[in-house]
Amino acid sequence: MAIRARRYQDAKAQAGTNLELAWWVFMRLSGLVLVFLVLGHIYMNFVLIDVNTVNYDYVARRLSNTTWKIYDLVILGLALLHGLNGSRYVMDDWIKDPGRRFITKAVVYSLGVLVFLIGSISLLNHDFSR
């Protein structure tokens, strides 16, 4: 069951395990980090340059740099983990049958891993220098 506290002390009292408390903290921190990462991404790609100059060549030049690949990979990984943990809260609240909840979580987590693998493979293995 999801922790419904606003403060750390209240969350610690509600948490059944230390792992659940760690996920509660992760949701707050990852949400904050994601806000700044995504705003930085938007600022660097759509404010600093003219939107009309964004084409394949611009993206290829940008992604030929390893720093940008890591930046985008961090956004992908954090967003997926944050979203999957949020969906875990929803599934725990709404799916009462333990068997159905297990199968649903297995399918959702498998899809999340698949999306991360496809995203990271396409980001890291594509040769953008050509």
Side-chain angles (χ1 to χ4, degrees), residues 15-30:
T17 64
N18 284 337
L19 182 62
E20 189 63 36
L21 181 62
W23 279 115
W24 184 86
V25 170
F26 169 79
M27 288 298 281
R28 272 77 192 154
L29 294 177
S30 67

Side-chain angles (χ1 to χ4, degrees), residues 23-94:
W23 279 115
W24 184 86
V25 170
F26 169 79
M27 288 298 281
R28 272 77 192 154
L29 294 177
S30 67
L32 184 65
V33 169
L34 275 169
V35 165
F36 289 108
L37 285 174
V38 171
L39 286 177
H41 181 82
I42 290 170
Y43 180 74
M44 288 180 275
N45 287 308
F46 301 112
V47 175
L48 286 181
I49 64 163
D50 184 23
V51 176
N52 296 324
T53 63
V54 176
N55 55 20
Y56 180 81
D57 293 330
Y58 169 76
V59 174
R61 275 194 321 272
R62 188 175 153 270
L63 289 178
S64 63
N65 186 345
T66 306
T67 306
W68 288 115
K69 287 183 180 183
I70 292 171
Y71 187 86
D72 289 344
L73 192 62
V74 168
I75 291 175
L76 174 67
L78 266 180
L80 273 171
L81 268 177
H82 188 87
L84 286 173
N85 194 41
S87 67
R88 179 182 66 90
Y89 288 155
V90 171
M91 289 182 279
D92 284 344
D93 285 346
W94 285 93

